[in-house]
Amino acid sequence: MKKVLAINSGSSSFKYKLFALPEETVLAEGLGDRIGIAGSTFEMKLPDGKKYHEEVDLPDQDTAVHVLLDWLKKYGVINDLNEIAGVGHRIVSGGEEFADSAIIDETNLQKIFDLTDYAPLHNPAEGRGIKAFMKLLPGVPQVGVFDTSFHQTMDEVHYLYSIPYEYYEKYKARKYGAHGTSVRYVANRTAELLHKDLKDLKLIVCHLGSGASITAVKNGKSFDTSMGFSPLAGITMGTRSGDIDASLVQFIMDKEGINKIDDMIDLLNHKSGLLGISGLSSDMRDLEGSDTKRAKLARDIFINRAIRYAGSYAVEMGGVDAIVFTAGIGEHDAYIRAGIMKPFECMGLDPDLEANKTNGEKLISKSDSKIAALIVPTDEELMIERDVVRLAHLD
């Protein structure tokens, strides 16, 4: 039985799933956490409900890869490393180099490192993880699945900024977007649920988590998306500000005596968003349970910013067939979903508020609604596994 690993490495985390082919059954999944930080741990969950969790020294991605392969054998998930037929890796930025997922050889691995400026916290960690797998599993296809690839179908009108064109020519300064792997899965699954061809649909995919983005999908392709050159742009997020007037950045730096732009970017990335507005938490669940005015304000601003993007996309695409909610908030927060759906009633969306009260994959608009609304749980790892199968010809 052939098996495929799907790897999702962050700057200090290492998520994984092992799939069995051709059924796509998940044989093991888990997380290496706090990589490079004191108190690092590793966990593995198996289909029979067994869960293993230990404090393990994980100084780097290379060590996490060693631990994963050791644990797969230790707990009887595999008998031999030769059972692993391919490994897929989620990579945040492929720049303009990668318009699709790709087999990673030494040349493409170097390109991932060369794109560090576009995702400084993620690309190097992901590259190091791939390098470790190439060493420990020689000859096993390694496939890079880039979050930015799906958005390479945007045209210049949508991806260029209104700054001197030479900065695009010299530095590729443009919108790249993110969450492309998730949006690709959700869009395809939505088409299946609606019994329509994806190429005939106009969708607005609301990937709402701690990191959040809104993407317009037209005829199966990314038409526009809210995140920009980096994941800092777009709607309000857990700790990220989303869109902000650049002059306000300078104003705050002057008033607060912030001398380094790096410190200001850190503030916008890690101390803003829901956390900054509420003063309480970046977690929407904490805000939902709070009766403070600022907690409610943070939730309502989150809804408002999502509506701004979703509404503009609906108009620009010349209509919308479905609005789809996914990721942690999108899949589990009925208040947020209802708030985003409400303004679309003027365009013919008839929400099923009773269905919206509960979670899970489902239609949350009435059967005769002109615009469908759905909850579709995302599955980035499944998308990664399928790209490995496709590009490594494992089917």
Side-chain angles (χ1 to χ4, degrees):
M1 181 190 298
K2 292 180 180 178
K3 300 175 177 70
V4 169
L5 267 170
I7 304 296
N8 187 342
S9 294
S11 55
S12 61
S13 64
F14 179 91
K15 291 191 242 180
Y16 64 89
K17 277 188 183 180
L18 181 69
F19 293 87
L21 302 181
E23 297 87 357
E24 298 183 326
T25 306
V26 177
L27 301 177
E29 61 183 302
L31 170 71
D33 199 18
R34 296 177 62 86
I35 295 173
I37 305 170
S40 54
T41 59
F42 202 87
E43 71 173 42
M44 179 175 287
K45 293 185 288 185
L46 303 181
D48 60 6
K50 290 180 180 176
K51 182 176 179 179
Y52 304 95
H53 181 96
E54 293 180 18
E55 188 166 317
V56 180
D57 186 26
L58 299 174
D60 49 39
Q61 297 285 337
D62 187 85
T63 304
V65 173
H66 276 83
V67 172
L68 169 59
L69 297 180
D70 286 345
W71 278 36
L72 288 174
K73 290 191 289 184
K74 177 180 177 180
Y75 294 112
V77 182
I78 62 173
N79 296 313
D80 192 283
L81 293 180
N82 291 328
E83 296 171 35
I84 300 174
V87 184
H89 305 264
R90 176 219 176 203
I91 301 166
V92 168
S93 181
E96 289 189 338
E97 289 285 345
F98 297 97
D100 189 9
S101 301
I103 295 287
I104 304 300
D105 53 15
E106 292 292 343
T107 300
N108 281 340
L109 179 59
Q110 186 56 52
K111 289 180 180 179
I112 291 169
F113 285 114
D114 291 344
L115 290 164
T116 291
D117 283 348
Y118 301 94
L121 294 179
H122 293 88
N123 270 41
E126 291 149 3
R128 289 191 295 270
I130 295 171
K131 193 172 183 179
F133 273 106
M134 292 172 79
K135 180 180 178 181
L136 293 170
L137 300 176
V140 175
Q142 307 292 321
V143 174
V145 180
F146 302 88
D147 270 358
T148 52
S149 291
F150 183 71
H151 300 300
Q152 286 295 298
T153 54
M154 291 187 294
D155 61 25
E156 290 180 316
V157 168
H158 293 101
Y159 71 67
L160 284 179
Y161 291 108
S162 301
I163 57 177
Y165 190 79
E166 64 188 87
Y167 298 141
Y168 170 65
E169 293 178 306
K170 292 195 292 186
Y171 311 120
K172 300 302 178 186
R174 53 161 286 180
K175 176 189 286 192
Y176 288 102
H179 295 145
T181 306
S182 171
V183 174
R184 186 157 54 103
Y185 172 82
V186 169
N188 279 280
R189 181 60 182 153
T190 299
E192 291 175 3
L193 293 170
L194 294 177
H195 306 290
K196 300 280 183 68
D197 189 324
L198 181 58
K199 293 180 181 178
D200 297 328
L201 292 173
K202 298 171 184 175
L203 306 177
I204 295 172
V205 178
C206 303
H207 180 109
L208 307 178
S210 180
S213 65
I214 312 293
T215 298
V217 179
K218 185 176 183 180
N219 305 328
K221 299 178 180 180
S222 177
F223 180 74
D224 201 359
T225 193
S226 60
M227 283 184 170
F229 175 76
S230 79
L232 179 55
I235 71 171
T236 301
M237 299 174 234
T239 61
R240 297 179 190 136
S241 64
D243 294 339
I244 187 171
D245 185 335
S247 293
L248 181 58
V249 172
Q250 182 185 38
F251 175 83
I252 292 172
M253 290 180 71
D254 289 345
K255 293 295 184 182
E256 290 290 311
I258 300 172
N259 298 316
K260 295 181 180 179
I261 188 64
D262 287 355
D263 293 338
M264 188 64 198
I265 294 298
D266 181 73
L267 183 151
L268 295 174
N269 267 307
H270 302 295
K271 300 176 184 178
S272 301
L274 298 176
L275 174 62
I277 298 164
S278 71
L280 176 66
S281 176
S282 64
D283 193 313
M284 192 67 86
R285 292 168 294 186
D286 294 336
L287 304 187
E288 182 182 12
S290 172
D291 58 2
T292 67
K293 180 181 178 181
R294 283 172 57 186
K296 184 180 187 304
L297 177 63
R299 283 166 65 76
D300 288 344
I301 287 175
F302 182 90
I303 291 170
N304 173 266
R305 302 307 190 262
I307 290 168
R308 286 185 184 181
Y309 271 98
S312 66
Y313 290 160
V315 172
E316 196 173 357
M317 287 193 295
V320 57
D321 297 300
I323 298 173
V324 195
F325 298 95
T326 193
I329 298 169
E331 294 172 28
H332 298 102
D333 197 314
Y335 177 84
I336 297 297
R337 292 192 299 259
I340 293 172
M341 287 190 288
K342 178 68 176 174
F344 283 90
E345 291 179 14
C346 71
M347 298 177 66
L349 196 161
D350 191 0
D352 185 338
L353 296 180
E354 194 62 34
N356 184 53
K357 289 179 180 178
T358 56
N359 306 318
E361 186 177 83
K362 66 169 77 171
L363 191 70
I364 53 172
S365 56
K366 295 182 180 176
S367 58
D368 59 350
S369 178
K370 292 181 181 179
I371 298 173
L374 304 93
I375 304 170
V376 179
T378 191
D379 195 336
E380 292 169 298
E381 288 81 12
L382 183 61
M383 204 81 256
I384 292 169
E385 175 266 322
R386 288 177 177 174
D387 279 359
V388 174
V389 171
R390 172 172 63 92
L391 292 169
H393 306 292
L394 299 180
D395 48 357

